[in-house]
Amino acid sequence: QVRLTESGGDLVQPGGSLKLSCKVSENIFNFNTLRWYRQVPGNERDFVASINVGGIIRYAESIQGRFTMSRDSAKNTVYLQMSSLKHEDTAVYYCFTDILSREYWGQGTRVTVSS
């Protein structure tokens, strides 16, 4: 059973920064892609960023230039460095992966951007 454990969510002021972590229970190179999504209550989960096994990173347009995804293979962890945070970045952030047609989500970590 693959486990994804997010952490790092917090209350932050507009313009501030925050770094989220997603600890994976297995070698992260077992997975073709690891992704970050976010969800506002009442809305669907939206794609934020992804990194594939080759290290190629993709971002949603809404966060391009403000968020940076990275990984540390020694720690089996992926990160989401968030900067210039806006009110609209407030959401629960989830880590996601899939393997052998099974999907795995973390429990989420809450980010609140407010003054």
Side-chain angles (χ1 to χ4, degrees), residues 25-26 29 48 50 72 92 108 113:
S25 61
E26 299 181 10
F29 292 119
V48 175
S50 67
D72 184 335
V92 178
V113 184

Side-chain angles (χ1 to χ4, degrees), residues 40-52:
V40 175
N43 290 5
E44 294 184 353
R45 291 183 184 180
D46 294 327
F47 169 78
V48 175
S50 67
I51 186 168
N52 72 5

Side-chain angles (χ1 to χ4, degrees), residues 24-108:
V24 184
S25 61
E26 299 181 10
N27 186 326
I28 59 174
F29 292 119
N30 289 346
F31 309 98
N32 285 330
T33 306
L34 288 158
R35 304 176 195 167
W36 285 101
Y37 285 80
R38 65 186 183 184
Q39 186 174 28
V40 175
N43 290 5
E44 294 184 353
R45 291 183 184 180
D46 294 327
F47 169 78
V48 175
S50 67
I51 186 168
N52 72 5
V53 67
I56 296 174
I57 300 172
R58 294 174 54 237
Y59 297 102
E61 283 190 16
S62 60
I63 57 87
Q64 187 84 33
R66 298 189 297 121
F67 291 10
T68 303
M69 187 173 183
S70 62
R71 67 187 176 191
D72 184 335
S73 57
K75 296 182 179 179
N76 288 325
T77 300
V78 294
Y79 302 98
L80 187 67
Q81 175 68 52
M82 306 186 295
S83 303
S84 302
L85 283 162
K86 306 175 181 180
H87 289 289
E88 51 264 42
D89 295 318
T90 295
V92 178
Y93 285 71
Y94 295 92
C95 196
F96 169 88
T97 193
D98 58 349
I99 187 170
L100 299 177
S101 300
R102 293 192 66 177
E103 298 184 350
Y104 298 94
W105 293 91
Q107 83 289 348

